[in-house]
Amino acid sequence: MGKNLTSRAEDYSKWYNELVVKSDLAENSGVRGCMVIKPYGYAIWEKMQAQLDKMFKETGHENAYFPLFIPKSYLSKEASHVEGFAKECAVVTHYRLKNAEDGSGIVVDEDAKLEEELIVRPTSETIIWDTYRKWIQSYRDLPLKINQWANVVRWEMRTRLFLRTAEFLWQEGHTAHATREEALEEAELMMHVYAEFVENYMGVPVIKGTKTASERFAGAEETYCIEALMQDGKALQAGTSHFLGQNFAKAFDVKFATKEGSQEYVWATSWGVSTRLMGALVMTHSDDNGLVLPPKLAPIQVVIVPIYKGMEQLEAISEKVDPLVKALRARGITVKYDDRDTHKPGFKFNEYELKGVPVRLAIGQRDLENGTYEVARRDTLGKESVKAEDIVDKVEGLLKDIQENIYKKALDYRADHISEVDTYKEFKQVIEEKGGFVSAHWDGTPETEDKIKEETKATIRCIPLNVEKEAGKCMVTGKPSQYRVLFAKAY
């Protein structure tokens, strides 16, 4: 199985696109800007989803489901929200088709126009807060902590598999609280939950912080975020959590009776991560040979490939492998024994290397005689011979080691790509030549932020959480600044 991947050094973007397709994660569909997530890619998403869902439930959230369609009038109730999403909305105007009178095919039935257009959800705040008005009456109904696993549509013009598509899968949490403090605590908590998942399961280090006013979610008073750094020096927003204040409660008249009997508007949050995390997973760890998957999320953690001549040898190997497969599965390890006779071992080695399977075991006639397995690890491509009686413990240890190693490698890369600068000239040079995160003083104005973005394509990724106070001068205007922020070019 020839990989024929473009190298990262040659063309990182092309490498990424080829790898996603060739490793069977996803492909473009017949609908412009939309993707088909293939079984191998969806298996990774399912593992992500299962772990996140567990973490959400452990923090007191419940799952529900809300309509795909949102009445247009709902969107217009929160001014900054509609302004933020208006250019990305897909709109349903009719509800019926008919055969064209000239026999040319089917056309929209002009008599079947909807009284009110429906928006295909770009996000669900509006439909959910219209529902919460019915669910929340008193302080006894709070906090209300709901999560939804769904698809959303944002009509993107320039698309890339997983990173930016017109339709994508995600989860969106929407919570209601009695006090401002509770809602802020919730928004920050979910940022930490996301960070824990991305670092401990995906093996991707992140920086936690808040967004500037111009980068906040439409309708939010504060946006918490986690920012990751890809191998090409570009940042990727891996998850966001928003403190919405009382904006949506006021727009949809969601009030509750307090213990004292007065009527108050509730306080809100929303938070979400999407299949964009799949793109982060690919771009953080993978190499020119294919995917490198963290063992905790790999659909297949261990593959066993027999090397044989004739059915007699295969049967002897299979007899030896069968108890090993059972022993590995008994320890919660996902294992595949690939005894297909339609492909040679070399093809299989290439295939599983491309697909990022963390550990590969090979066993041939000589291994059978010596009581050994050849063990290959995907992250370093190292190989060694291991005695059969030690193999289960070895594999279990290797999976743990690989998970830690790929995280450390990504962490070291990020450490080498955080640059501190004091002048705009130096900033431009680092952004253009080195990339990564650039720590610099900024005067806090949107005008300066826009100027930097326009001239360098770099944006403020976040104001790091618990940022240290440091008196300085804005690198662009020379105006006073109390702390540094992180800039980067981003996906």
Side-chain angles (χ1 to χ4, degrees), residues 30-198:
V31 182
R32 186 188 174 283
C34 295
M35 64 179 168
V36 174
I37 304 175
K38 297 181 79 173
Y40 192 65
Y42 200 80
I44 299 171
W45 176 244
E46 280 181 316
K47 292 194 95 168
M48 288 181 167
Q49 192 178 26
Q51 182 56 38
L52 281 165
D53 200 62
K54 182 172 179 281
M55 294 168 88
F56 297 157
K57 284 169 181 166
E58 284 171 352
T59 46
H61 301 86
E62 297 178 290
N63 287 335
Y65 186 80
F66 297 87
L68 172 67
F69 301 115
I70 298 170
K72 187 178 73 175
S73 59
Y74 285 22
L75 244 68
S76 61
K77 287 187 179 184
E78 213 290 326
S80 58
H81 189 67
V82 70
E83 188 181 340
F85 286 102
K87 293 178 181 176
E88 299 176 348
C89 288
V91 186
V92 180
T93 57
H94 292 73
Y95 61 86
R96 191 167 56 221
L97 301 171
K98 66 178 182 180
N99 287 313
E101 290 179 5
D102 61 4
S104 59
I106 55 171
V107 294
V108 173
D109 186 343
E110 290 300 329
D111 294 331
K113 197 171 190 308
L114 291 170
E115 284 184 30
E116 180 180 2
E117 294 93 341
L118 297 172
I119 310 302
V120 183
R121 66 170 165 237
T123 180
S124 299
E125 276 78 5
T126 55
I127 191 80
I128 285 175
W129 279 93
D130 180 69
T131 307
Y132 281 3
R133 185 176 65 251
K134 303 162 199 165
W135 292 3
I136 298 169
Q137 304 300 323
S138 87
Y139 68 91
R140 296 182 186 87
D141 302 319
L142 299 172
L144 181 59
K145 300 165 84 172
I146 302 293
N147 175 63
Q148 168 174 247
W149 290 96
N151 61 336
V152 291
V153 171
R154 295 181 187 172
W155 213 255
E156 301 279 1
M157 291 297 104
R158 295 179 180 177
T159 59
R160 186 181 296 181
L161 293 169
F162 290 122
L163 296 175
R164 198 170 288 279
T165 47
E167 178 198 17
F168 55 89
L169 305 182
W170 79 346
Q171 58 72 215
E172 48 180 319
H174 298 270
T175 69
H177 304 265
T179 67
R180 176 188 180 87
E181 290 70 32
E182 270 186 41
L184 273 166
E185 192 178 311
E186 164 80 5
E188 195 167 332
L189 168 69
M190 297 320 294
M191 173 196 62
H192 290 304
V193 167
Y194 287 151
E196 183 188 341
F197 170 75
V198 173

Side-chain angles (χ1 to χ4, degrees), residues 191-192 195 199 206-210 225-227 462-465:
M191 173 196 62
H192 290 304
E199 293 196 331
V206 297
I207 292 172
K208 304 172 194 172
T210 56
C225 62
I226 54 172
E227 295 286 328
C462 71
I463 302 163
L465 215 60

Side-chain angles (χ1 to χ4, degrees), residues 1-5 22 346-347 350-351 354:
M1 183 178 186
K3 300 188 191 86
N4 297 321
L5 283 175
K22 289 186 176 184
F347 178 94
N350 260 340
E351 179 181 14
L354 177 65

Side-chain angles (χ1 to χ4, degrees), residues 47 124 173 273 300 323 344 351 385 408 469 472:
K47 292 194 95 168
S124 299
V273 293
I300 305 164
K344 294 188 183 299
E351 179 181 14
S385 183
K408 185 181 182 302
K469 286 284 178 75

